[in-house]
Amino acid sequence: TQSTRPQRLLGAVQKNATRGDPRSVVKAIDEFCRHKEWAMNVGDEKGCILDSVVSELNPATVLELGTYCGYSTVRIASLLPPHAKLITLEFNPDYAKIACQVIAWAGLEDKIQLVEGSSAEWIPKMKEHFGVKMLDLVFMDHWKDDYLPDTKLLEDCGLLRKGSVLLADNVICPGSPDYLKYVRRSPRYKSQYFRSHLEYTKAEDGLEKSVFLG
Ligand SMILES: Cc1ncnc2c1ncn2[C@@H]1O[C@H](/C=C/CNC(=O)c2cc(-c3ccc(F)cc3)cc(O)c2O)[C@@H](O)[C@H]1O
Ligand SMILES: [Mg+2]
């Protein structure tokens, strides 16, 4: 039977990356997507912006919406301090299975909790189920139409504190216009656009970093 692109991406990791070396996993995926098959990872260029936001924030608790194959999951977790935790939500079981193996290859199982399910279902359960008090960083990279409703859900569930950071991928391409308008107009956020390019291409794209003001 035919393999899927995520399966071929995992194969490239297992072939070219060193077990237990997260940066080699990131590099293997970027090489695969640049030279073999494009895939919707945040990629190396936007990934450097992601790295700088994570490093500057030094977050204890991170939530990622939309794991896909685990590229940004591994990239973020590789920069977290020792007792920090990253919870990542993915509702496609096939993608979750691949991401789980990518995370294992990187040796980051202890830092990452991959939850198979939808953000709408699991955001309200963050506190009781995972003992999460507040989120220091949320990386949004799931369906673009869900960015805004999920942001409102995060607010309503009391998961954001003064200084919590929302970092959203693809605010230009494919784009999330309603989300962008909301965070840029709301007096409750200080928003900043980091211009970049769509992963592995020359098309414009960027990340929006929005600090919750409480
Ligand atoms: C509510 C809910 N709960 C849990 N998981 C959820 C969820 N909603 C979606 N997911 C999961 O997250 C990923 C979905 C990612 C969607 N990302 C994009 O569509 C995307 C597209 C491009 C792109 C750009 C130009 C093109 F020409 C073509 C594609 C680039 C990107 O970077 C993208 O992120 C995927 O793994 C999906 O299962
Ligand atoms: Mg994306």
Side-chain angles (χ1 to χ4, degrees):
T1 53
Q2 268 285 23
S3 67
T4 65
R5 178 167 306 181
Q7 282 168 336
R8 294 191 291 274
L9 182 149
L10 172 63
V13 166
Q14 293 170 333
K15 178 164 174 277
N16 304 316
T18 309
R19 260 188 181 288
D21 175 356
R23 301 317 286 183
S24 75
V25 168
V26 167
K27 192 170 179 314
I29 295 172
D30 282 330
E31 299 282 304
F32 175 77
C33 293
R34 192 172 281 285
H35 302 300
K36 297 279 187 332
E37 298 185 59
W38 188 92
M40 59 181 177
N41 315 120
V42 73
D44 42 359
E45 195 180 317
K46 288 185 287 179
C48 285
I49 301 167
L50 172 63
D51 290 354
S52 60
V53 170
V54 174
S55 305
E56 182 199 329
L57 206 55
N58 217 14
T61 313
V62 183
L63 172 65
E64 176 180 62
L65 302 178
T67 317
Y68 186 45
C69 294
Y71 173 91
S72 47
T73 323
V74 165
R75 190 155 189 147
I76 295 167
S78 72
L79 298 174
L80 294 181
H83 305 292
K85 274 265 168 254
L86 190 161
I87 298 169
T88 183
L89 306 183
E90 174 53 56
F91 67 12
N92 179 310
D94 300 323
Y95 294 160
K97 279 186 194 71
I98 296 295
C100 194
Q101 295 173 80
V102 168
I103 290 162
W105 198 268
L108 288 169
E109 305 93 316
D110 298 351
K111 282 189 178 307
I112 296 165
Q113 183 148 18
L114 170 54
V115 179
E116 198 177 311
S118 84
S119 50
E121 179 200 347
W122 282 96
I123 286 174
K125 293 180 184 169
M126 279 290 134
K127 296 201 173 192
E128 41 146 346
H129 221 270
F130 302 104
V132 165
K133 292 178 202 57
M134 289 289 168
L135 296 170
D136 301 310
L137 171 65
V138 181
F139 180 56
M140 277 186 265
D141 196 16
H142 57 334
W143 293 154
K144 308 316 160 193
D145 296 347
D146 288 339
Y147 282 17
L148 183 52
D150 283 351
T151 297
K152 292 181 172 170
L153 189 55
L154 288 164
E155 291 172 9
D156 297 345
C157 293
L159 284 161
L160 304 180
R161 55 148 174 84
K162 193 172 177 338
S164 292
V165 170
L166 305 183
L167 189 65
D169 188 26
N170 311 116
V171 292
I172 301 299
C173 176
S176 54
D178 58 345
Y179 171 79
L180 221 39
K181 262 204 293 290
Y182 178 76
V183 287
R184 288 179 176 176
R185 283 184 187 164
S186 166
R188 302 182 74 189
Y189 291 93
K190 173 91 186 69
S191 225
Q192 186 183 0
Y193 175 59
F194 291 83
R195 187 162 188 252
S196 184
H197 294 95
L198 176 68
E199 50 268 28
Y200 318 115
T201 78
K202 292 187 170 26
E204 184 185 344
D205 189 22
L207 300 174
E208 188 82 0
K209 177 190 172 191
S210 308
V211 183
F212 188 63
L213 302 174

